[in-house]
């Protein structure tokens, strides 16, 4: 029996449409939704939970139609939507005493175990919990009534690098795409989240200077970039171990030290373009993102084209790599240096521009 069977799920909004979403999940498996803000992840899950009305399609959970057997099926579903944001003045104990009455198979022992594991104080009010503790409380509720299907919504910015890095295991692929996913997925998610929560306005009310605010966001970008590249390097090494005994023909750059140096240059170009452009307004990120991605892709495309067209470069990167380790090391060092210099320039220009931005 399938745990989840989604068929042609459709939802129309004036500015957004979810069309013909279909997928299946067998019992005992884990599935992850990955995508930028606005891609339709939360909408799909809300449709699955019958929280919003579908314009078409069908949701079957544990073999039963959700629209027809909603109350019965919700006994079997544990859902954690990131955190508890309602009844903020209620104590955890009071809120739990109310919620558990709705579940026939509530397991008090399991719930108490999660409270201990998550270090949750039942006498605290919801408003007193940090964002992370709210998530833990939400999970404790979702996991304490014997649910057969668990659904959770959480931003996974710091998990995404690991997931995307696994693409390095594909033999003879265009590996430049792996770090590029940082621009295509992570950055829109991060800055969309910043704007959604209006954190800029909140931060300006704190005793923090504008340059420090820029430094904080640039630091987030750098950390995520390094996570993307770092995990990609690890899986690149695994790739080498797995395929070292196979006679694989690389038509594009192989994952070598020189390749990672070029990846650092790609990140550097992105930072140099995106960060200063974004801080013209510190709010609109679409235009800066598109321009920065285009610049990074142009460099990657030219580098890859030269690597294919020029026999010497093709030999250095794909054929006799072991004979040119010094060249690869030099490219890597140069790439790291360019990344550091370009990012520092980007930060200084952005900090200067942000001083002139009037926050509304």
């Amino acid at each position: 029996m399938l745990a989840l069977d989604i068929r042609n799920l459709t939802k129309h909004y004036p500015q957004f449409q979810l069309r013909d979403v279909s997928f299946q999940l067998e019992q005992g498996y884990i599935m992850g939704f990955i995508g930028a803000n606005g891609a339709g992840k939360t909408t799909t899950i809300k449709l699955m939970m019958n929280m919003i009305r579908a314009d078409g399609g069908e949701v079957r959970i544990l073999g039963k139609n959700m629209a027809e057997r909603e109350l019965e099926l919700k006994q079997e579903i544990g859902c954690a939507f990131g955190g508890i944001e309602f009844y903020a003045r209620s104590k955890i104990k009071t809120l739990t005493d109310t919620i558990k009455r709705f579940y026939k198979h509530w397991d008090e022992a399991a719930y108490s175990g999660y409270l201990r594991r998550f270090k949750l104080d039942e006498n605290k009010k919801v408003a007193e919990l940090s964002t992370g503790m709210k998530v833990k409380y939400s999970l404790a509720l979702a996991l304490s009534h014997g649910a057969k299907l668990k659904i959770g919504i959480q931003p996974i910015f710091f998990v995404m690098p690991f997931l995307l890095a696994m693409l390095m295991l594909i033999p003879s692929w265009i590996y430049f795409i792996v770090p590029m996913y940082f621009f295509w997925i992570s950055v829109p998610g991060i800055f969309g989240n910043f704007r959604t929560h209006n954190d800029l306005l909140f931060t300006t009310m704190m005793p923090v200077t504008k340059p420090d605010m820029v430094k904080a966001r640039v630091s987030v970008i750098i950390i995520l970039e390094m996570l993307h590249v770092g995990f990609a390097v690890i899986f690149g090494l695994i790739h080498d171990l797995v395929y070292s005994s196979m006679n694989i023909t690389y038509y594009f750059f192989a994952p070598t030290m020189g390749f990672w140096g070029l990846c650092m240059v790609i990140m550097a170009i992105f930072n140099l373009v995106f960060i200063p452009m974004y801080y013209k307004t510190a709010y609109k990120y679409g235009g800066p993102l598109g321009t920065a991605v285009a610049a990074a892709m142009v460099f990657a495309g030219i580098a890859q084209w030269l690597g294919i067209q020029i026999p010497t470069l093709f030999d250095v990167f794909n054929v006799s790599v072991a004979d040119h380790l010094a060249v690869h090391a030099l490219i890597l060092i140069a790439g790291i240096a360019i990344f550091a210099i370009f990012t520092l320039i980007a930060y200084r220009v952005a900090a200067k521009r942000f001083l002139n931005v009037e926050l509304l």
Side-chain angles (χ1 to χ4, degrees):
M1 182 191 301
L2 293 171
L4 192 58
D5 186 6
I6 307 298
R7 302 178 185 177
N8 305 115
L9 205 56
T10 301
K11 180 65 179 178
H12 299 290
Y13 288 110
Q15 303 298 326
F16 171 76
Q17 292 188 6
L18 193 72
R19 294 193 186 95
D20 296 326
V21 175
S22 299
F23 59 88
Q24 295 178 329
L25 176 65
E26 294 185 16
Q27 292 191 55
Y29 285 80
I30 297 173
M31 175 184 289
F33 270 4
I34 299 174
N37 281 15
K41 303 182 299 297
T42 302
T43 300
T44 301
I45 291 176
K46 286 183 176 180
L47 288 166
M48 286 161 44
M49 292 295 295
N50 211 28
M51 296 168 68
I52 54 178
R53 188 184 301 275
D55 294 321
E58 181 183 19
V59 176
R60 300 188 71 84
I61 295 176
L62 301 172
K64 301 172 184 177
N65 187 293
M66 183 62 170
E68 298 172 357
R69 312 283 286 275
E70 180 179 356
L71 292 181
E72 176 187 346
L73 286 172
K74 283 188 175 178
Q75 291 285 341
E76 308 290 350
I77 300 172
C79 194
F81 273 76
I84 301 296
E85 299 295 345
F86 49 87
Y87 299 117
R89 295 185 179 181
S90 297
K91 290 184 178 180
I92 288 178
K93 179 176 174 53
T94 303
L95 195 53
T96 302
D97 285 342
T98 301
I99 291 173
K100 69 182 183 182
R101 298 173 188 271
F102 291 90
Y103 292 101
K104 298 176 182 178
H105 305 294
W106 179 263
D107 188 336
E108 191 65 31
Y111 174 71
S112 298
Y114 286 119
L115 289 185
R116 289 192 299 271
R117 183 182 301 180
F118 296 153
K119 295 181 173 58
L120 286 165
D121 182 355
E122 273 196 303
N123 293 312
K124 276 194 172 184
K125 294 181 179 180
V126 173
E128 296 173 340
L129 300 179
S130 66
T131 300
M133 296 305 282
K134 287 178 182 178
V135 171
K136 290 181 179 180
Y137 177 50
S138 182
L139 285 171
L141 293 174
L143 298 173
S144 296
H145 58 88
K148 295 178 181 177
L149 177 65
K150 286 87 172 179
I151 299 174
I153 298 180
Q154 271 295 296
I156 55 170
F157 302 137
F158 292 94
V159 178
M160 187 73 73
F162 177 82
L163 298 176
L164 295 177
M166 295 177 71
L167 296 173
M168 294 299 300
L169 298 178
I170 301 174
S172 191
W173 200 49
I174 308 176
Y175 298 116
F176 270 144
I177 291 178
V178 174
M180 284 289 184
Y181 272 116
F182 169 74
F183 313 139
W184 298 335
I185 297 178
S186 296
V187 172
I190 295 166
F191 283 83
N193 208 39
F194 284 153
R195 190 166 70 178
T196 298
H197 294 287
N198 202 12
D199 81 316
L200 195 62
L201 181 62
F202 176 77
T203 309
T204 54
M205 292 187 287
M206 299 172 64
V208 180
T209 66
K210 280 188 171 182
D212 284 339
M213 292 166 64
V214 176
K215 186 184 297 183
R217 285 198 179 177
V218 171
S219 297
V220 170
I221 293 174
I222 293 172
I223 290 170
L224 284 170
E225 285 174 335
M226 293 304 98
L227 282 173
H228 274 269
V229 174
F231 280 120
V233 169
I234 292 171
F235 279 98
L237 294 173
I238 296 173
H239 170 281
D240 289 341
L241 291 173
V242 172
Y243 300 118
S244 59
S245 60
M246 303 179 189
N247 188 22
I248 295 177
T249 300
Y250 290 96
Y251 299 100
F252 307 99
F253 286 143
T256 61
M257 281 194 295
F259 169 79
W260 299 119
L262 294 176
C263 286
M264 295 301 293
V265 176
I266 290 173
M267 297 285 189
I269 292 171
F270 176 83
N271 290 350
L272 186 65
V273 177
F274 175 74
I275 295 171
M277 284 188 67
Y278 171 74
Y279 276 100
K280 283 184 177 180
T281 64
Y283 183 75
K284 298 178 180 179
Y285 64 89
L289 178 62
T291 305
V293 169
M297 290 181 68
V298 166
F299 172 82
I302 292 174
Q304 186 64 80
W305 182 80
L306 292 174
I308 295 172
Q309 296 298 318
I310 300 176
T312 302
L313 286 178
F314 186 84
D315 179 68
V316 168
F317 278 92
N318 294 345
V319 182
S320 55
V321 176
D323 297 331
H324 298 91
L325 289 180
V327 175
H328 283 272
L330 185 61
I331 295 172
L332 177 60
I333 293 170
I336 294 172
I338 291 170
F339 176 84
I341 293 169
F342 279 23
T343 304
L344 180 60
I345 293 171
Y347 160 69
R348 289 184 174 177
V349 174
K352 187 175 181 180
R353 285 183 173 178
F354 190 40
L355 289 173
N356 298 319
V357 173
E358 295 184 0
L359 301 175
L360 302 177

